Amino acid sequence: MAKVDFKKAKNITKAGAPVERDVNWTVEVTNENLEQLKSVSENPDLKVGDQVELEGQVFVKRMSFKASREASKAFEWDIDYEDVEKSKLKSVDSDQLQATQLLGTICEDAKGTPFFTSTQDVYDSDPSFIVALYQIADEVNNFMGKLVKKNSSETSSSENSSSTESVDAPLKKQSKK
């Protein structure tokens, strides 16, 4: 294990520079995006209702402490003030969780300029685009925790394996109990 002098190693403790990733998604042609998609895809024969596969480059940064604190607001706890260890998770607003995770990690350039300006900006985006971005952001940040093997119910831990969700699908909103 390497020992560091924190006074001299501040850059090691930072979240780091964004990394470039390719994102692929499919979008449906609508009246609103028809002309732009014809131009981008260089396909003048596109019509409303067609599906277009798109590829772009985004930058993903490691989630900062501040961004992770914003994401944690998606969890609602039933706090046991007598014994905090016995506190129970009441619900998770997975929409808010994913939106804040994307807001805090997806950038439009290597400087770290945020791609989204607000969680509402994420909510207003095409679902297939959000799913594609989330998969890429998860690769960098490991939002889902321990790795899940595709096409298998095995996880790297048998504990709580029944509650593990597929990395291919975004979290589903849990209902309040």
Side-chain angles (χ1 to χ4, degrees):
M1 178 183 307
K3 196 167 195 161
V4 283
D5 177 350
F6 284 112
K7 293 178 192 172
K8 297 178 183 175
K10 267 202 166 170
N11 285 339
I12 295 172
T13 65
K14 303 245 185 232
V19 293
E20 189 173 352
R21 293 287 192 261
D22 289 333
V23 61
N24 299 292
W25 75 102
T26 303
V27 66
E28 182 173 347
V29 178
T30 65
N31 286 324
E32 292 78 22
N33 65 19
L34 177 62
E35 293 307 315
Q36 187 175 14
L37 285 172
K38 281 182 179 181
S39 173
V40 168
S41 67
E42 298 176 354
N43 181 354
D45 300 326
L46 284 178
K47 57 187 179 306
V48 173
D50 288 347
Q51 298 287 317
V52 178
E53 290 184 23
L54 299 174
E55 179 180 346
Q57 292 177 324
V58 296
F59 292 82
V60 182
K61 66 181 179 179
R62 300 274 310 149
M63 191 170 225
S64 69
F65 177 75
K66 183 178 180 181
S68 65
R69 295 294 292 163
E70 278 302 308
S72 72
K73 292 177 182 177
F75 298 95
E76 185 179 351
W77 290 91
D78 184 9
I79 307 283
D80 183 333
Y81 292 99
E82 302 279 322
D83 185 355
V84 176
E85 296 286 325
K86 292 183 180 176
S87 297
K88 300 210 184 314
L89 182 63
K90 286 179 16 179
S91 66
V92 178
D93 183 340
S94 62
D95 294 341
Q96 180 184 355
L97 179 61
Q98 286 186 333
T100 53
Q101 288 171 330
L102 291 175
L103 180 64
T105 61
I106 301 297
C107 306
E108 61 185 40
D109 57 32
K111 295 177 188 172
T113 306
F115 181 80
F116 296 106
T117 58
S118 67
T119 54
Q120 189 60 50
D121 201 15
V122 178
Y123 293 148
D124 291 342
S125 297
D126 183 271
S128 65
F129 179 61
I130 293 302
V131 168
L133 284 180
Y134 189 80
Q135 288 175 339
I136 289 168
D138 185 47
E139 289 172 9
V140 173
N141 287 279
N142 198 18
F143 296 136
M144 300 294 285
K146 294 181 179 179
L147 296 177
V148 178
K149 294 179 183 176
K150 289 187 179 188
N151 299 324
S152 173
S153 61
E154 292 179 35
T155 64
S156 55
S157 169
S158 61
E159 193 172 346
N160 289 330
S161 62
S162 63
S163 64
T164 304
E165 298 194 32
S166 168
V167 294
D168 291 335
L171 296 170
K172 300 286 187 250
K173 189 169 184 175
Q174 295 181 0
S175 61
K176 290 186 180 183
K177 293 180 181 176

